[in-house]
Amino acid sequence: MLDLVISNVRIAGRNQPLDIGIQDGRIAALETGLVSDAPRQDMCGCFAFGGFIDSHIHLDKACILDRCLICEGTLEEAVRETAKAKSAFAVEDVYARAARVVESAIVNGTTAMRTFVEVDPRAGFRSFEAIRQIKHDYRWALDIQICAFAQEGLTNEPETASMLDKALGDGADLIGGCPYTDPDPQAHIRGIFDLAERHGVDVDFHLDFDLNPANSAIPAVIVETQRRGYGGRVSIGHATKLSAMPRQEVVAVAMRLADAGIAVTVLPATDMFLLGRDRDHLVPRGIAPALLLATHGVTVTAATNNVLNPFTPYGDASLGRMANLFANAAQLSRDEDIATAFDMVTGNAARLMRRDYALQPGAPADIVIVDAADPLSAIREIRLPIAGWKNGRQTFSRPRAHLLYPSV
């Protein structure tokens, strides 16, 4: 008594095409030649997986290029210009811009995301209110985690702490901090952890976002994670200082991160756009060495970060494209390394967000079909998603391209 059969798909690790049987929003069967009277959609041997997972995106400040200047192209300018713009954000404005990005993410195969939402005296709760509504309105297509985020410091603006506390009580799923914008980074880290413990939520920091290997905030995060028993519940984004450290120093940090249970997210589009502006030759890529971290047991992901704003003045929320960008910048070539790049925007990202992720009987029928034969070709060629389902309900379709040859 199946509701739907998605037939003739390829799944990673399986040699033969399979059929996926769906019942009551879940995968009920996964086998070759599935016999059923249910409606059937033939995917013609394309690759099926659980969808892309965006572990780090900022929906609240997306699509604001029309109201910000980009003269220097630096992190400091991006923070400054965005702070000016967000003072004038209205709920309706944030909702419209976020919806534009979310809809692009859906058709690009994303089934879950973690969005940071700035809560402070300038943004107030307007962005939070808009993104909370986005989470509700688009739950038919993807799951959204809301991270209440202190972009511009904590100790320098004590009222931000009470606002974050309120947001966590009003539906935010976790809390995020940004030590490099705070005059007292270590107090900032402790304050964010205090709020996380009070509400029993996970923590996600932006930190070490420069190319000076000195004065890393990672040791402080490791200490607090271990002291509070927060292993597996903490992640850090950017961590570009690691790209400026010798290999053996990175290995030492990687082992400590793995032991503490702290995940790392690289953000290739933003990190390459903002960093190295002071160089006139041999400009560094500025991306943390994710594969080296992964080799030593760290959960590593790649994500969108920003779309069409001073932090990243381009983007379409395509994680297939982002994984390809990372693979290019990291100079990946081996099949196993490309497979890791795919994992960074799928299974690893799900692990960071503490989500179940697998195509297997009993799992939610969250399925995306890519016009590719396997994960490697999906990333190497940036092959497009052509269909997706959330809890067994189809959420989008995109016809495969067909060449129109001239008649002879």
Side-chain angles (χ1 to χ4, degrees):
M1 299 295 292
L2 298 175
D3 301 319
L4 172 69
V5 175
I6 303 172
S7 66
N8 194 15
V9 299
R10 296 188 180 274
I11 294 176
R14 305 290 287 268
N15 294 326
Q16 293 182 313
L18 299 172
D19 298 339
I20 304 174
I22 298 172
Q23 182 179 23
D24 296 330
R26 293 189 171 271
I27 296 174
L30 192 62
E31 57 191 67
T32 301
L34 181 60
V35 176
S36 173
D37 293 331
R40 183 176 295 262
Q41 293 198 37
D42 185 353
M43 290 293 110
C44 304
C46 289
F47 174 62
F49 69 115
F52 292 115
I53 310 292
D54 204 328
S55 59
H56 185 128
I57 192 169
H58 294 261
L59 294 176
D60 57 336
K61 56 191 182 189
C63 308
I64 57 171
L65 283 178
D66 59 338
R67 59 192 88 173
C68 294
L69 294 174
I70 302 180
C71 299
E72 304 161 9
T74 62
L75 173 63
E76 293 76 17
E77 179 185 59
V79 172
R80 184 173 65 247
E81 285 295 310
T82 304
K84 292 178 187 175
K86 74 181 178 184
S87 296
F89 286 177
V91 173
E92 297 78 9
D93 163 55
V94 175
Y95 184 99
R97 291 184 287 101
R100 173 180 168 186
V101 175
V102 165
E103 291 178 6
S104 182
I106 293 167
V107 299
N108 279 305
T110 296
T111 54
M113 62 172 52
R114 172 179 291 181
T115 182
F116 294 82
V117 179
E118 295 178 26
V119 177
D120 58 34
R122 283 158 299 287
F125 292 100
R126 299 183 302 278
S127 294
F128 176 65
E129 181 182 339
I131 301 304
R132 190 170 54 180
Q133 191 64 44
I134 287 281
K135 175 179 179 175
H136 177 271
D137 291 352
Y138 285 91
R139 67 191 187 281
W140 55 271
L142 80 173
D143 299 321
I144 297 178
Q145 286 185 355
I146 298 177
C147 181
F149 180 51
Q151 168 72 76
E152 298 177 58
L154 198 62
T155 67
N156 50 326
E157 289 185 338
E159 59 267 45
T160 297
S162 61
M163 296 178 72
L164 292 169
D165 187 56
K166 184 178 188 316
L168 287 167
D170 288 345
D173 300 290
L174 70 157
I175 188 167
C178 191
Y180 62 78
T181 61
D182 198 300
D184 190 342
Q186 298 213 5
H188 181 108
I189 291 167
R190 291 192 300 271
I192 293 296
F193 268 106
D194 287 343
L195 284 164
E197 280 194 313
R198 183 180 307 164
H199 291 271
V201 299
D202 292 359
V203 177
D204 201 330
F205 287 105
H206 295 40
L207 52 71
D208 283 13
F209 195 9
D210 59 52
L211 298 179
N212 178 358
N215 303 314
S216 171
I218 291 176
V221 173
I222 291 172
V223 167
E224 292 300 320
T225 300
Q226 294 178 320
R227 184 171 74 85
R228 300 169 191 253
Y230 246 62
R233 305 189 65 180
V234 179
S235 51
I236 59 176
H238 299 293
T240 54
K241 283 181 182 287
L242 293 173
S243 72
M245 294 180 183
R247 179 185 179 91
Q248 282 309 114
E249 290 185 23
V250 175
V251 168
V253 174
M255 293 173 68
R256 292 191 64 196
L257 287 168
D259 184 59
I262 297 172
V264 176
T265 298
V266 297
L267 304 157
T270 301
D271 296 348
M272 287 198 293
F273 175 74
L274 291 176
L275 297 180
R277 293 280 179 167
D278 58 330
R279 316 290 175 87
D280 63 4
H281 64 287
L282 293 178
V283 178
R285 296 178 181 89
I287 300 173
L291 262 69
L292 180 57
L293 298 175
T295 298
H296 290 86
V298 180
T299 296
V300 292
T301 72
T304 298
N305 196 38
N306 282 286
V307 176
L308 301 176
N309 70 15
F311 293 88
T312 317
Y314 31 72
D316 59 356
S318 166
L319 285 174
R321 183 180 64 82
M322 195 59 64
N324 176 276
L325 176 62
F326 167 75
N328 270 271
Q331 299 176 312
L332 307 186
S333 58
R334 301 185 306 169
D335 285 358
E336 54 264 42
D337 293 340
I338 301 298
T340 297
F342 178 79
D343 290 342
M344 289 170 66
V345 292
T346 55
N348 286 6
R351 188 177 309 116
L352 179 153
M353 292 171 59
R354 301 208 288 142
R355 293 174 55 87
D356 292 332
Y357 187 85
L359 290 187
Q360 60 187 17
D366 296 351
I367 302 163
V368 170
I369 310 296
V370 175
D371 189 10
D374 52 43
L376 304 186
S377 57
I379 299 306
R380 282 194 168 111
E381 303 173 41
I382 320 181
R383 306 295 291 182
L384 293 176
I386 58 174
W389 287 262
K390 179 69 175 169
N391 295 320
R393 176 191 179 277
Q394 189 160 8
T395 55
F396 76 93
S397 65
R398 187 200 321 248
R400 300 173 75 183
H402 294 279
L403 292 176
L404 304 177
Y405 291 99
S407 56
V408 178

